[in-house]
Amino acid sequence: MTKPQTHENRGISARLLDQPYLLLILAPLFWGGNVVAAKLVVGEIDPFLLLAARCVGATLFILPFAWPYLKADWPVIRRTWPQLMAFGFVGYALFNVLLYLGLSTTSGVNAAIVQASLPMLILLANFVVFRARAKVLQIVGVIIAISGVMLTATHGNLGRILTLDINVGDGFVILACLAYTAYTLALRFRPDVHMMSFMAVAFSGAAISGVIMLQLFGDGVGQFATIPSMSATVWIVLIYVMIFPSMFSQVAYARAVDLVGPNRAAPSHNLIPVFGAIGSVLILGERLELYHYLAAAIIIGGIVLAEWAARRRR
């Protein structure tokens, strides 16, 4: 009698979670889609309402899945909940509201390309804050990549930096990247809880922050009552940002890291601006200008140089 194939009785989701490289494509695909989705509803929904609805919806969506882990981790959560919620404020709420505000006055392509600077900003911040060892060529790569970001923010005319003539929207996206850099650096101090527990509590912090920002800087929490009458496009975008970049990307990336390790998984973040730019062209109908190609080449060159320097033998 032959041995039964164990995978035959496994569900599709279980088999999917065993495919690390597929997960490392899906995670940045959904994150890159966040830019396209938010740009799609500019003018239809207030950025602060979009953020608050996303964070509240994501929290409600994840809680049933996270409940067993929350109970197991409760002793740690009870001691560290302010810290866990702060992660949600900076990494989810602040990052996304700055991104959504930026998309009100800049293109999806620009926002996607600016986000390509994240790996370099994180490398630079680690060097500055934690004195992480970095080779000269890595620092050169960072400078090159950031110059590509500034080329994007000045729409191909670096001379505008001297007069501080930078598109406001691009400025907000740069601030969003700085917020996410701070969040990433702070993750080394993350309390020792399961990933699902971390996400649930952090999302709760993001939801509370989003509602407060809506009340203080938006049109007030009463705007939640206007959502049912909004267009089908807004509803599709809300459902997408609540579920896919909020939960599925996080789970997919965390699982991929478990399977292949953080060093092999980290470069997949470079796919986020690629998917964001492609989606902006295909779905939003935006045009790629010459400076976009030049900036993308400069940023990619900086990333490749920094990565090559990091892998060189001493």
Side-chain angles (χ1 to χ4, degrees):
M1 183 174 179
T2 59
K3 185 178 179 179
Q5 298 293 319
T6 56
H7 65 79
E8 290 180 359
N9 294 325
R10 302 181 67 207
I12 294 176
S13 60
R15 293 198 296 272
L16 175 63
L17 290 173
D18 285 337
Q19 307 297 319
Y21 297 105
L22 176 59
L23 296 174
L24 289 174
I25 291 174
L26 292 178
L29 174 64
F30 296 148
W31 276 324
N34 184 41
V35 170
V36 180
K39 185 64 179 179
L40 201 59
V41 291
V42 167
E44 289 193 67
I45 183 171
D46 174 32
F48 291 101
L49 178 57
L50 176 60
L51 171 77
R54 169 184 175 168
C55 292
V56 171
T59 302
L60 295 175
F61 181 79
I62 197 175
L63 279 176
F65 300 98
W67 189 249
Y69 305 101
L70 288 169
K71 290 193 294 184
D73 291 329
W74 181 244
V76 179
I77 294 171
R78 187 171 54 188
R79 294 194 310 269
T80 61
W81 66 267
Q83 182 182 349
L84 290 167
M85 286 193 165
F87 281 111
F89 166 66
V90 177
Y92 302 145
L94 187 59
F95 167 76
N96 280 295
V97 78
L98 290 170
L99 177 63
Y100 294 161
L101 287 170
L103 286 166
S104 298
T105 53
T106 194
S107 68
V109 169
N110 268 35
I113 292 176
V114 169
Q115 285 188 83
S117 67
L118 270 173
M120 297 294 95
L121 288 174
I122 293 168
L123 173 64
L124 179 61
N126 269 303
F127 173 73
V128 172
V129 177
F130 297 119
R131 296 291 186 258
R133 299 185 65 177
K135 298 181 180 180
V136 174
L137 285 179
Q138 285 181 285
I139 301 300
V140 172
V142 169
I143 295 171
I144 290 174
I146 291 176
S147 68
V149 172
M150 297 313 298
L151 184 67
T152 303
T154 57
H155 291 208
N157 182 8
L158 287 173
R160 294 169 64 181
I161 295 176
L162 299 176
T163 59
L164 299 180
D165 185 18
I166 297 176
N167 181 279
V168 173
D170 294 315
F172 273 121
V173 178
I174 292 172
L175 289 176
C177 291
L178 292 175
Y180 199 81
T181 299
Y183 163 77
T184 303
L185 264 62
L187 282 175
R188 66 168 57 196
F189 305 112
R190 196 191 94 178
D192 186 16
V193 296
H194 191 277
M195 182 64 181
M196 293 298 288
S197 296
F198 172 76
M199 288 169 57
V201 182
F203 282 3
S204 299
I208 294 170
S209 303
V211 171
I212 291 173
M213 284 191 280
L214 175 61
Q215 182 63 35
L216 293 179
F217 307 114
D219 294 327
V221 295
Q223 289 299 299
F224 276 109
T226 65
I227 293 178
S229 61
M230 290 184 176
S231 69
T233 301
V234 172
W235 272 95
I236 292 171
V237 165
L238 282 173
I239 292 171
Y240 175 82
V241 297
M242 285 176 188
I243 298 174
F244 291 92
S246 296
M247 181 175 173
F248 286 178
S249 284
Q250 300 283 353
V251 172
Y253 186 74
R255 174 59 178 165
V257 169
D258 287 340
L259 293 173
V260 301
N263 290 338
R264 292 169 65 187
S268 69
H269 281 87
N270 297 322
L271 291 173
I272 298 174
V274 174
F275 287 130
I278 292 174
S280 296
V281 172
L282 296 181
I283 298 175
L284 302 176
E286 295 181 357
R287 290 180 54 190
L288 285 170
E289 305 292 343
L290 178 60
Y291 73 86
H292 287 135
Y293 292 104
L294 182 58
I298 292 172
I299 293 171
I300 292 171
I303 291 172
V304 170
L305 179 61
E307 186 69 17
W308 177 74
R311 293 176 183 272
R312 282 182 64 193
R313 292 183 179 180
R314 296 178 186 275

